[in-house]
Amino acid sequence: MEEEMDTETAEAAAEDAETDLAATIKQKYEAGEELNDEELDFVADTAIRSVRDILSFFGETKVSIDEYDGDEGELILDINGGDLAVLIGRHGRTLDALQMVVSSLVSSTLGFHYPVVVDIEGYKSRRKNKVQSLARSAAARAKKQHTAVSLPPMNAYERRLVHLALVDDDAVITHSEGEEPNRHVVVTLVQ
Protein backbone atom coordinates (compact mmCIF):
# COMPACT_ATOMS: atom_id res chain seq x y z
CA MET A 1 0.00 0.00 0.00
CA GLU A 2 2.79 2.41 0.94
CA GLU A 3 4.70 1.53 -2.24
CA GLU A 4 1.54 2.29 -4.28
CA MET A 5 1.26 5.74 -2.65
CA ASP A 6 4.95 6.44 -3.35
CA THR A 7 4.41 5.57 -7.04
CA GLU A 8 1.34 7.83 -7.22
CA THR A 9 3.24 10.64 -5.48
CA ALA A 10 6.17 10.27 -7.89
CA GLU A 11 3.82 10.27 -10.91
CA ALA A 12 2.04 13.39 -9.62
CA ALA A 13 5.39 15.13 -9.06
CA ALA A 14 6.51 14.21 -12.59
CA GLU A 15 3.25 15.57 -14.05
CA ASP A 16 3.66 18.81 -12.06
CA ALA A 17 7.25 19.17 -13.32
CA GLU A 18 6.09 18.64 -16.93
CA THR A 19 3.32 21.21 -16.49
CA ASP A 20 5.80 23.73 -15.07
CA LEU A 21 8.27 23.06 -17.89
CA ALA A 22 5.52 23.43 -20.52
CA ALA A 23 4.51 26.77 -18.98
CA THR A 24 8.13 27.97 -19.02
CA ILE A 25 8.53 26.91 -22.65
CA LYS A 26 5.30 28.66 -23.63
CA GLN A 27 6.39 31.88 -21.93
CA LYS A 28 9.84 31.87 -23.54
CA TYR A 29 8.54 30.86 -26.99
CA GLU A 30 5.86 33.56 -27.03
CA ALA A 31 8.44 36.14 -25.91
CA GLY A 32 10.67 35.10 -28.83
CA GLU A 33 13.41 33.80 -26.55
CA GLU A 34 15.68 30.87 -27.47
CA LEU A 35 14.74 27.56 -25.89
CA ASN A 36 17.51 25.60 -24.18
CA ASP A 37 18.32 21.96 -24.96
CA GLU A 38 16.14 20.59 -22.16
CA GLU A 39 13.15 22.61 -23.37
CA LEU A 40 13.67 21.61 -27.01
CA ASP A 41 14.02 17.97 -25.93
CA PHE A 42 10.72 18.21 -24.05
CA VAL A 43 8.95 19.57 -27.16
CA ALA A 44 10.52 16.84 -29.33
CA ASP A 45 9.70 14.09 -26.82
CA THR A 46 6.10 15.31 -26.63
CA ALA A 47 5.79 15.26 -30.42
CA ILE A 48 7.47 11.85 -30.77
CA ARG A 49 5.24 10.37 -28.07
CA SER A 50 2.18 11.66 -29.96
CA VAL A 51 3.42 10.16 -33.25
CA ARG A 52 4.19 6.80 -31.62
CA ASP A 53 0.75 6.73 -29.97
CA ILE A 54 -0.94 7.30 -33.33
CA LEU A 55 1.25 4.82 -35.20
CA SER A 56 0.48 2.14 -32.62
CA PHE A 57 -3.14 2.18 -33.85
CA PHE A 58 -1.79 1.11 -37.25
CA GLY A 59 0.36 -1.63 -35.74
CA GLU A 60 3.55 0.32 -36.48
CA THR A 61 5.55 0.00 -33.27
CA LYS A 62 9.04 -0.59 -34.65
CA VAL A 63 9.63 2.58 -36.66
CA SER A 64 12.46 5.03 -36.17
CA ILE A 65 11.76 8.73 -35.85
CA ASP A 66 14.54 11.16 -36.71
CA GLU A 67 14.16 14.67 -35.36
CA TYR A 68 15.81 17.83 -36.60
CA ASP A 69 15.27 21.57 -36.83
CA GLY A 70 13.80 23.01 -40.01
CA ASP A 71 14.86 26.18 -41.80
CA GLU A 72 12.07 28.21 -40.21
CA GLY A 73 12.48 27.02 -36.60
CA GLU A 74 10.03 24.15 -36.87
CA LEU A 75 10.61 20.67 -35.44
CA ILE A 76 10.74 18.08 -38.22
CA LEU A 77 10.01 14.44 -37.42
CA ASP A 78 10.92 12.00 -40.20
CA ILE A 79 9.41 8.54 -39.68
CA ASN A 80 11.20 5.56 -41.26
CA GLY A 81 10.65 1.80 -41.38
CA GLY A 82 7.57 -0.36 -41.41
CA ASP A 83 4.79 -0.26 -44.01
CA LEU A 84 4.13 3.47 -44.00
CA ALA A 85 2.96 4.15 -47.57
CA VAL A 86 -0.67 4.05 -46.43
CA LEU A 87 0.12 6.94 -44.06
CA ILE A 88 1.34 9.12 -46.94
CA GLY A 89 -1.82 8.62 -48.97
CA ARG A 90 -2.65 10.04 -52.38
CA HIS A 91 -0.67 13.24 -52.99
CA GLY A 92 0.34 13.25 -49.31
CA ARG A 93 -3.17 14.00 -48.05
CA THR A 94 -3.09 11.35 -45.32
CA LEU A 95 0.31 12.60 -44.22
CA ASP A 96 -1.09 16.16 -44.05
CA ALA A 97 -3.93 14.88 -41.85
CA LEU A 98 -1.46 13.00 -39.64
CA GLN A 99 0.57 16.18 -39.23
CA MET A 100 -2.56 18.13 -38.28
CA VAL A 101 -3.48 15.57 -35.61
CA VAL A 102 0.08 15.49 -34.22
CA SER A 103 0.23 19.30 -34.17
CA SER A 104 -3.07 19.43 -32.29
CA LEU A 105 -1.90 16.88 -29.73
CA VAL A 106 1.42 18.69 -29.19
CA SER A 107 -0.33 22.07 -28.90
CA SER A 108 -2.77 20.62 -26.39
CA THR A 109 0.04 19.19 -24.28
CA LEU A 110 2.22 22.30 -24.44
CA GLY A 111 -0.61 24.80 -24.11
CA PHE A 112 0.47 26.70 -27.25
CA HIS A 113 1.24 26.04 -30.92
CA TYR A 114 4.79 24.94 -31.65
CA PRO A 115 5.43 24.23 -35.35
CA VAL A 116 5.88 20.50 -35.95
CA VAL A 117 6.31 18.93 -39.39
CA VAL A 118 5.70 15.20 -39.75
CA ASP A 119 7.36 13.50 -42.71
CA ILE A 120 7.48 9.86 -43.74
CA GLU A 121 10.67 8.54 -45.32
CA GLY A 122 11.53 11.99 -46.67
CA TYR A 123 8.32 12.25 -48.75
CA LYS A 124 7.78 15.95 -48.05
CA SER A 125 11.38 16.80 -48.82
CA ARG A 126 11.19 14.98 -52.16
CA ARG A 127 7.79 16.55 -52.89
CA LYS A 128 9.16 20.03 -52.08
CA ASN A 129 12.00 19.56 -54.57
CA LYS A 130 9.56 18.26 -57.19
CA VAL A 131 7.17 21.22 -56.74
CA GLN A 132 10.03 23.73 -56.97
CA SER A 133 11.28 22.03 -60.13
CA LEU A 134 7.75 22.10 -61.55
CA ALA A 135 7.56 25.83 -60.79
CA ARG A 136 10.84 26.57 -62.60
CA SER A 137 9.74 24.45 -65.55
CA ALA A 138 6.41 26.33 -65.74
CA ALA A 139 8.29 29.65 -65.68
CA ALA A 140 10.53 28.50 -68.53
CA ARG A 141 7.46 27.43 -70.56
CA ALA A 142 5.74 30.76 -69.88
CA LYS A 143 8.81 32.62 -71.13
CA LYS A 144 9.26 30.42 -74.20
CA GLN A 145 5.59 30.32 -75.24
CA HIS A 146 4.71 33.86 -74.10
CA THR A 147 1.58 32.52 -72.41
CA ALA A 148 0.20 31.78 -68.95
CA VAL A 149 0.94 28.30 -67.61
CA SER A 150 -1.46 26.66 -65.15
CA LEU A 151 -0.04 24.12 -62.73
CA PRO A 152 -2.07 21.18 -61.41
CA PRO A 153 -4.16 21.65 -58.24
CA MET A 154 -2.06 21.81 -55.08
CA ASN A 155 -2.63 22.31 -51.39
CA ALA A 156 -1.84 25.69 -49.81
CA TYR A 157 1.65 24.65 -48.70
CA GLU A 158 2.65 23.51 -52.19
CA ARG A 159 1.19 26.62 -53.83
CA ARG A 160 3.29 28.68 -51.43
CA LEU A 161 6.36 26.70 -52.49
CA VAL A 162 5.66 27.63 -56.12
CA HIS A 163 5.26 31.32 -55.29
CA LEU A 164 8.48 31.30 -53.26
CA ALA A 165 10.41 29.38 -55.93
CA LEU A 166 9.63 32.07 -58.50
CA VAL A 167 9.62 35.20 -56.32
CA ASP A 168 13.09 36.24 -57.54
CA ASP A 169 12.31 35.62 -61.22
CA ASP A 170 11.50 39.11 -62.52
CA ALA A 171 10.25 37.74 -65.86
CA VAL A 172 7.17 36.00 -64.39
CA ILE A 173 4.48 36.55 -61.78
CA THR A 174 2.38 33.95 -59.99
CA HIS A 175 -1.10 33.92 -58.58
CA SER A 176 -3.57 31.28 -57.40
CA GLU A 177 -6.94 30.59 -59.00
CA GLY A 178 -9.88 28.30 -58.35
CA GLU A 179 -11.60 26.86 -55.34
CA GLU A 180 -10.33 24.09 -53.05
CA PRO A 181 -9.57 21.28 -53.76
CA ASN A 182 -8.89 22.45 -57.33
CA ARG A 183 -7.02 25.64 -56.45
CA HIS A 184 -3.86 25.98 -58.55
CA VAL A 185 -1.06 28.39 -59.41
CA VAL A 186 -0.86 30.24 -62.69
CA VAL A 187 2.57 31.43 -63.88
CA THR A 188 2.35 34.45 -66.19
CA LEU A 189 5.01 36.25 -68.23
CA VAL A 190 5.49 39.88 -67.16
CA GLN A 191 4.55 42.16 -70.06
Side-chain angles (χ1 to χ4, degrees):
M1 186 72 156
E2 188 175 310
E3 188 175 304
E4 206 173 283
M5 287 179 54
D6 287 343
T7 302
E8 288 175 10
T9 303
E11 287 174 2
E15 282 182 30
D16 288 346
E18 280 189 7
T19 302
D20 291 346
L21 182 56
T24 300
I25 293 169
K26 176 182 179 180
Q27 185 178 22
K28 286 178 74 173
Y29 184 78
E30 289 176 348
E33 297 177 27
E34 288 271 328
L35 300 182
N36 64 35
D37 288 344
E38 177 190 7
E39 294 160 344
L40 290 171
D41 286 346
F42 178 77
V43 171
D45 290 346
T46 300
I48 289 170
R49 187 171 43 248
S50 297
V51 169
R52 288 201 183 280
D53 287 347
I54 293 169
L55 292 179
S56 70
F57 290 111
F58 295 91
E60 295 295 343
T61 56
K62 293 187 172 37
V63 299
S64 67
I65 302 175
D66 298 323
E67 62 179 86
Y68 51 96
D69 295 328
D71 295 337
E72 297 175 22
E74 71 275 22
L75 171 65
I76 299 175
L77 302 178
D78 191 13
I79 306 166
N80 294 285
D83 184 19
L84 301 173
V86 70
L87 293 176
I88 295 173
R90 184 173 168 87
H91 302 296
R93 288 190 183 114
T94 306
L95 180 54
D96 290 341
L98 175 63
Q99 177 173 320
M100 190 179 307
V101 170
V102 170
S103 290
S104 293
L105 289 170
V106 171
S107 294
S108 175
T109 302
L110 296 177
F112 70 101
H113 175 74
Y114 189 93
V116 177
V117 174
V118 178
D119 200 357
I120 294 178
E121 296 176 346
Y123 172 83
K124 285 187 177 178
S125 178
R126 290 189 311 275
R127 181 68 182 158
K128 178 181 179 180
N129 292 338
K130 184 176 179 179
V131 167
Q132 290 171 332
S133 176
L134 187 64
R136 289 187 292 276
S137 176
R141 267 193 330 229
K143 293 172 193 174
K144 183 178 180 181
Q145 298 172 354
H146 297 280
T147 184
V149 176
S150 292
L151 295 175
M154 297 178 183
N155 63 34
Y157 172 73
E158 291 177 345
R159 290 192 310 269
R160 182 174 181 263
L161 289 175
V162 172
H163 296 304
L164 291 175
L166 300 177
V167 74
D168 292 331
D169 188 335
D170 295 333
V172 295
I173 57 171
T174 61
H175 68 278
S176 296
E177 291 182 356
E179 300 294 322
E180 296 292 352
N182 297 314
R183 195 154 171 81
H184 61 279
V185 176
V186 177
V187 181
T188 309
L189 187 65
V190 175
Q191 299 298 332

